Amino acid sequence: MSPLTRVAAVGLVLAAAGCATRHRACAPPELTRESGLVQPGPADESAVVETELLRSLVDRTRAANSAPDPAAKPGKFLALSGGGMYGAYSVGVLKGWTDTGTRPTFDVVTGVSTGALVASYAFLGTAYDEPMTRLYTTVSDKDIYRRRPRVAVLFSDSAASSEPLKKLIAAQVDDALLAEVARAHAAGRRLYVGTTNLDARRLVVWDMGAIASSGRPDAADLYRTVLLASASVPGFFPPVPVEVEVNGRRFTELHVDGGATTGVFLRASTLHLDREALRAGRQPLAGSDAYVVIAGKLYADPACTDQRAVRIAAGSLESVVASQTRGELYRIYSLCLLGGMRYHLAAVPENFDAGGDAMSFDPAAMRRLYAAGYEAAAGGRAWRDTPPGAEPHEQTRPRTGTQFLAPGAR
């Protein structure tokens, strides 16, 4: 269960209590993991056609952009998604990448939720691999949250206290780290973290380098507050208050997990594009590389859903969150096509079993995730160059009935 599915779970605990489970025959996950159930009869070529159409578009775009723009300034950009303990996979990818000797210094890094906690380390470079790895292979639940008694949840703003996470962030984000972020910002590099303004129901993007170098007495507190807010799963963790001033008047905003509005982000506004170059028809980012690391799977694991309100709501919300992330990945891919950038996507393999949900923070499961990410990156297998939905086995094919064949199964 992904972190945001707990929003539905917490709200429906009482409504679901005492409801009888309706048993039914569910297709086993190995038959439904991919959208490969096909109807008996002639082969359906629609999936292949859609894939070939996309690749044709890519080839035409690359051909049109083959002439180099002498004014282009190629960059290296990294976007890190949310995903709770699955952030260990992202960390493994980064460390495995380091050990190949090919990991670049990133010009822009963005992070959401667990990706926000990793982002500062990724931004500062390989010198911070050790604390980043230690954080995502040794922590446990007690280092992240304290569950409230079930009765207390009814009168609280969350199912758990985030005080342990707040202390952990304070210990990790010290004055030395802030000074390094400020220096990188002064050199023109950028670090962004996303939160969700609960009142506005919108994504808020924070320029962490600007905060670190602001010279404000509360800079360190604000930096840590943003990280806590970005990782505060709504309903599971309490919202984080942020004091703001508008036209001389002070207000208090409530911020929660950036994953409530987007699972990952890399926007044109974060890349500081040359508007005059764009208006002149040039591609100022031609030759750049955009890397996206998803702390989780591109498609939620199939599971037999109990016919109880809490399970139905949780399963539906998990589908929404996964779909939202895939949509954002396609948005980033479109940005790459328009900007002449190369697209690189890494995610937990669909057949990988971590042995725990995103909020379990089991050290053994996190070490397995870390190892999977490390081995994929070190072995050159981590990256794909297409967005989710581009491959034939990922296509949704029209159904013409209720009798199917499962490819590869007997």
Side-chain angles (χ1 to χ4, degrees):
M1 184 184 295
S2 69
L4 290 181
T5 61
R6 296 178 184 273
V7 179
V10 169
L12 292 170
V13 166
L14 288 182
C19 292
T21 302
R22 300 175 184 176
H23 296 285
R24 59 192 177 90
C26 295
E30 61 269 20
L31 298 185
T32 59
R33 185 173 300 279
E34 297 178 351
S35 58
L37 291 179
V38 297
Q39 311 289 157
D44 180 3
E45 297 295 332
S46 61
V48 177
V49 169
E50 186 166 344
T51 302
E52 289 178 349
L53 179 64
L54 177 63
R55 291 195 178 279
S56 175
L57 173 62
V58 173
D59 291 341
R60 290 199 305 271
T61 303
R62 287 175 177 169
N65 299 333
S66 58
D69 182 349
K73 297 179 180 179
K76 305 293 184 183
F77 313 121
L78 174 68
L80 298 164
S81 84
M85 78 157 185
Y86 280 75
Y89 181 83
S90 303
V91 170
V93 167
L94 289 168
K95 185 61 172 71
W97 197 357
T98 294
D99 289 353
T100 66
T102 61
R103 179 176 151 191
T105 296
F106 299 109
D107 299 283
V108 174
V109 175
T110 72
V112 169
S113 195
T114 197
L117 302 181
V118 177
S120 293
Y121 294 128
F123 180 67
L124 294 178
T126 58
Y128 281 81
D129 280 0
E130 192 276 331
M132 176 179 70
T133 298
R134 185 175 64 251
L135 178 65
Y136 274 85
T137 56
T138 63
V139 300
S140 62
D141 288 357
K142 63 181 177 59
D143 301 306
I144 307 298
Y145 57 81
R146 290 194 308 270
R147 290 187 182 274
R148 304 188 196 279
R150 289 189 177 183
V151 174
V153 172
L154 301 178
F155 308 98
S156 178
D157 56 2
S158 64
S161 166
S162 59
E163 278 301 313
L165 177 58
K166 183 177 181 179
K167 292 178 181 178
L168 182 63
I169 290 173
Q172 299 293 321
V173 181
D174 56 16
D175 291 341
L177 184 143
L178 286 173
E180 288 289 338
V181 171
R183 277 192 285 271
H185 183 81
R189 297 167 56 218
R190 294 294 180 263
L191 171 63
Y192 299 106
V193 164
T195 66
T196 296
N197 182 331
L198 201 55
D199 301 315
R201 275 77 163 171
R202 292 190 178 187
L203 175 72
V204 174
V205 176
W206 299 84
D207 187 332
M208 305 302 281
I211 293 172
S213 57
S214 66
R216 294 171 36 157
D218 63 343
D221 287 340
L222 179 57
Y223 194 105
R224 295 165 185 151
T225 294
V226 170
L227 293 184
L228 178 63
S230 186
S232 291
V233 179
F236 191 73
F237 285 152
V240 177
V242 177
E243 301 297 327
V244 299
E245 184 176 309
V246 181
N247 294 335
R249 299 176 61 190
R250 297 189 64 82
F251 302 94
T252 301
E253 297 178 339
L254 291 180
H255 286 251
V256 296
D257 196 320
T261 42
T262 185
V264 64
F265 72 96
L266 188 66
R267 307 286 170 82
S269 59
T270 63
L271 301 181
H272 301 287
L273 293 170
D274 184 339
R275 295 178 66 184
E276 293 305 317
L278 292 174
R279 288 169 178 166
R282 302 201 310 270
Q283 291 189 312
L285 295 179
S288 298
D289 290 276
Y291 299 93
V292 186
V293 184
I294 299 299
K297 301 181 180 182
L298 298 178
Y299 296 85
D301 282 330
C304 189
T305 303
D306 289 343
Q307 290 181 264
R308 292 181 292 174
V310 65
R311 298 300 183 188
I312 293 170
S316 299
L317 188 56
E318 189 166 5
S319 300
V320 169
V321 171
S323 178
Q324 175 199 57
T325 298
R326 292 194 298 271
E328 191 65 30
L329 290 172
Y330 226 107
R331 176 176 180 164
I332 295 172
Y333 184 73
S334 299
L335 177 63
C336 288
L337 288 182
L338 294 171
M341 298 183 287
R342 291 178 289 267
Y343 178 88
H344 312 271
L345 171 63
V348 176
E350 299 300 318
N351 60 356
F352 182 82
D353 182 10
D357 69 38
M359 294 302 290
S360 65
F361 293 97
D362 171 42
M366 293 173 73
R367 284 192 287 270
R368 288 195 295 273
L369 283 161
Y370 172 86
Y374 181 93
E375 291 166 7
R381 304 184 306 276
W383 307 103
R384 58 185 279 179
D385 62 0
T386 57
E391 302 304 321
H393 69 276
E394 296 171 337
Q395 300 297 326
T396 300
R397 307 180 186 189
R399 287 187 171 186
T400 60
T402 58
Q403 291 182 317
F404 305 98
L405 296 176
R410 295 183 179 179

